Amino acid sequence: FPTRRSSDLIRERIRTSIVNYEPRVEILSIELNDYMDRNALRIKLELKIISPEDLITSLDFIVERLR
């Protein structure tokens, strides 16, 4: 499904969107895994929420192509 180049592009677009629209978080990691048999992509984000008490959290979701 995503090639190395397209994975890098997806990762960079996610990073840019978060930096531009959510300044209260720091990105610790972005992990992409493809599920070719499902035409899907798993995205896992690890984020540090910047506040008086910093909190590290992760978001894990799957995006699928609808036919």
Side-chain angles (χ1 to χ4, degrees):
F1 174 65
T3 63
R4 176 84 169 139
R5 184 177 171 142
S6 60
S7 292
D8 290 343
L9 180 61
I10 293 167
R11 188 176 283 107
E12 188 55 38
R13 291 215 177 159
I14 291 169
R15 182 177 304 282
T16 300
S17 295
I18 292 171
V19 167
N20 287 340
Y21 297 106
E22 189 45 83
R24 298 168 291 183
V25 301
E26 177 184 330
I27 302 165
L28 301 177
S29 68
I30 300 172
E31 183 181 318
L32 303 175
N33 299 97
D34 65 335
Y35 295 121
M36 290 192 311
D37 58 328
R38 293 176 42 192
N39 286 325
L41 182 66
R42 177 179 170 253
I43 301 171
K44 182 177 181 183
L45 303 172
E46 188 173 15
L47 305 167
K48 177 179 172 185
I49 299 173
I50 302 169
S51 67
E53 293 181 24
D54 291 340
L55 172 68
I56 295 177
T57 189
S58 62
L59 300 170
D60 193 358
F61 54 96
I62 295 175
V63 290
E64 296 179 288
R65 178 179 175 199
L66 300 177
R67 294 184 195 217

